[in-house]
Amino acid sequence: MKVLIVFEDKNVDNLFVPILCRGLQAIGVEVECSVEKFWNEDTFYDIIHFQWPEELVGWNNQNAHKIQQLKDRITFLKNRGTKFVYTRHNSRPHYYNAITYTAYDIIESSCDTIIHMGQFSYNEFKQQYPQSHNVIIPHHIYENTYNENISKEEAREKLGLSPDKFIITAFGKFRLKEEISIVIKSFLKFKCKNKYLLAPRLLPFSPHARNKNLYKRYISKLLYHTSKFICNLYSIQADNNEKIISNQDLPYYIIASDLLFIQRKRILNSGNLPLGFLFKKIVVGPDYGNIGEILKESGNPIFTPDNTGSIVQALTQGYSLAQTHKGKENYLYAKQHFSLQYISELYRQTYTDLIQRP
């Protein structure tokens, strides 16, 4: 069995695919990761496995011809006998682009098997494509990837964080202004005298604005520094949303935290959930998508998006759980349900079943 995962695995900050490839190779699956080989390789692959449609047409593509090329390429490869799999990371692209939206439609309707990371996604997709063949395979944990042996004291010292604070970390980019507003409001109302919010990509303004208009660049810098000053007054450490956390620094942010907060309003999946469980953290997130499903199943706090009172209540529950062994329970839960070997075996079985299907 020869598998091509359509993904460019060089210099990536999301390690989902490279880790999955490692897991599949460890159990004997012949797998490659490449976008170029999808478009140009003559080698026959039994399975071509799509991840994000953006990898195929570009993350901000304005070339409408790419859509017809995608249709033609899939038709050509199907006629050769290749089967197609799609892991549904997102319901839709994070940012609207007509070409990207069309690419999602093509891949969703063309693939022989759709893999979902939870029942929510499975049910949602089945409503749109009743005849589709669907499988649930959860998001694997990032085991044997990051330095898991850093102490909380080391992590906080490296990041310049006080050892006596209760640190809530909202990791990842804030995509909507509403997310920024609701997180800050909820944090300020959360009653905890030593609270501290660590949000490395919260600010929509950048001190390194690349706008050609000098006035707009000046305003962006002014807003950035003003926002940082205000954040510091309220025990919020924030930076701009263009900031990238390296894979070497990432564990320091997670380990320094007492609680991981998923700030999305409506999101299907989040790597922050298995990441938090791997590092024995409490995770608080929205009661939506596969995230809400897994948090409820594992006994972690959930909230109603846009409801400040609900978020404050979830943070309060998270604070109480952080004083218990819940973090270790999350780790054991993840090792049982999301281990790389277990998830890789599920993928291999899915590939095998598909090849044998008439």
Side-chain angles (χ1 to χ4, degrees):
M1 177 169 57
K2 194 173 178 66
V3 179
L4 176 67
I5 297 183
V6 185
F7 182 80
E8 197 57 62
D9 64 350
K10 297 176 182 176
N11 302 317
V12 296
D13 55 353
N14 188 332
L15 296 179
F16 176 90
V17 174
I19 294 170
L20 177 60
C21 282
R22 187 213 309 157
L24 290 169
Q25 289 164 352
I27 60 172
V29 178
E30 187 179 354
V31 59
E32 298 177 65
C33 292
S34 175
V35 175
E36 177 67 23
K37 288 184 178 181
F38 167 77
W39 289 111
N40 301 309
E41 183 62 67
D42 289 331
T43 302
F44 175 78
Y45 293 96
D46 299 283
I47 299 287
I48 289 182
H49 187 170
F50 295 130
Q51 302 290 328
W52 291 270
E54 290 91 338
E55 288 285 324
L56 289 149
V57 297
W59 288 82
N60 188 26
N61 185 26
Q62 304 299 323
N63 181 6
H65 296 297
K66 204 73 174 176
I67 291 300
Q68 188 59 50
Q69 291 171 359
L70 178 59
K71 290 179 181 178
D72 293 344
R73 185 64 176 167
I74 290 175
T75 300
F76 170 75
L77 293 169
K78 277 197 168 191
N79 288 337
R80 296 177 69 186
T82 293
K83 300 291 181 70
F84 285 84
V85 174
Y86 172 48
T87 293
R88 191 172 186 243
H89 292 274
N90 304 317
S91 300
R92 291 282 96 182
H94 295 313
Y95 304 103
Y96 179 77
N97 177 303
I99 295 170
T100 310
Y101 264 61
T102 304
Y104 268 71
D105 292 336
I106 291 169
I107 289 172
E108 288 175 349
S109 60
S110 299
C111 285
D112 302 286
T113 295
I114 309 297
I115 294 174
H116 305 271
M117 296 184 188
Q119 191 68 46
F120 181 98
S121 176
Y122 183 103
N123 295 343
E124 183 182 65
F125 195 84
K126 262 293 191 181
Q127 288 184 345
Q128 186 175 359
Y129 298 99
Q131 304 305 315
S132 57
H133 185 270
N134 299 267
V135 176
I136 296 176
I137 302 180
H139 192 306
H140 59 71
I141 51 176
Y142 300 88
E143 54 193 323
N144 303 319
T145 300
Y146 302 108
N147 184 354
E148 300 174 37
N149 298 315
I150 303 165
S151 69
K152 182 182 282 190
E153 292 73 24
E154 285 179 84
R156 292 194 174 191
E157 183 178 355
K158 178 178 173 62
L159 298 176
L161 301 171
S162 174
D164 64 343
K165 298 291 185 182
F166 181 79
I167 296 180
I168 302 166
T169 296
F171 212 70
K173 188 174 184 177
F174 282 68
R175 300 190 183 105
L176 303 172
K177 290 181 180 179
E178 293 89 347
E179 290 176 349
I180 298 173
S181 174
I182 198 76
V183 167
I184 292 177
K185 284 181 183 177
S186 303
F187 172 74
L188 294 178
K189 290 185 177 181
F190 168 52
K191 289 180 170 52
C192 173
K193 64 180 180 180
N194 287 325
K195 64 185 178 182
Y196 192 89
L197 176 61
L198 180 60
R201 303 184 72 185
L202 179 142
L203 301 180
F205 321 108
S206 171
H208 312 295
R210 295 184 289 272
N211 197 302
K212 292 181 181 179
N213 186 303
L214 290 175
Y215 174 75
K216 289 183 178 179
R217 278 165 54 188
Y218 171 76
I219 293 298
S220 181
K221 290 180 181 179
L222 179 62
L223 289 171
Y224 170 79
H225 290 294
T226 302
S227 298
K228 285 211 72 168
F229 175 75
I230 294 172
C231 283
N232 288 337
L233 287 178
Y234 292 101
S235 297
I236 301 172
Q237 182 175 317
D239 213 315
N240 73 93
N241 59 22
E242 295 178 355
K243 183 181 178 69
I244 302 296
I245 308 299
S246 72
N247 290 316
Q248 290 71 38
D249 288 341
L250 182 146
Y252 288 93
Y253 283 85
I254 307 300
I255 292 170
S257 312
D258 293 294
L259 182 153
L260 215 59
F261 184 89
I262 299 175
Q263 71 269 23
R264 305 290 178 227
K265 290 177 62 178
R266 296 171 68 86
I267 187 172
L268 197 62
N269 303 291
S270 174
N272 288 342
L273 196 161
L275 188 64
F277 282 14
L278 175 67
F279 284 102
K280 303 180 178 68
K281 301 299 174 182
I282 310 302
V283 179
V284 173
D287 186 13
Y288 185 83
N290 300 325
I291 294 173
E293 176 186 312
I294 296 169
L295 290 177
K296 281 186 283 190
E297 171 67 27
S298 59
N300 284 265
I302 54 171
F303 59 80
T304 302
D306 295 326
N307 186 322
T308 304
S310 174
I311 297 174
V312 171
Q313 184 179 18
L315 290 174
T316 303
Q317 292 172 354
Y319 176 83
S320 297
L321 288 173
Q323 318 308 316
T324 69
H325 297 292
K326 183 60 182 172
K328 186 173 181 180
E329 289 177 16
N330 284 343
Y331 173 78
L332 296 175
Y333 179 92
K335 290 290 283 186
Q336 179 182 353
H337 295 89
F338 311 141
S339 74
L340 181 59
Q341 181 175 353
Y342 173 62
I343 298 303
S344 299
E345 292 286 359
L346 292 179
Y347 271 99
R348 177 168 66 175
Q349 188 60 53
T350 299
Y351 294 155
T352 302
D353 292 347
L354 178 55
I355 291 173
Q356 293 173 350
R357 233 162 66 201

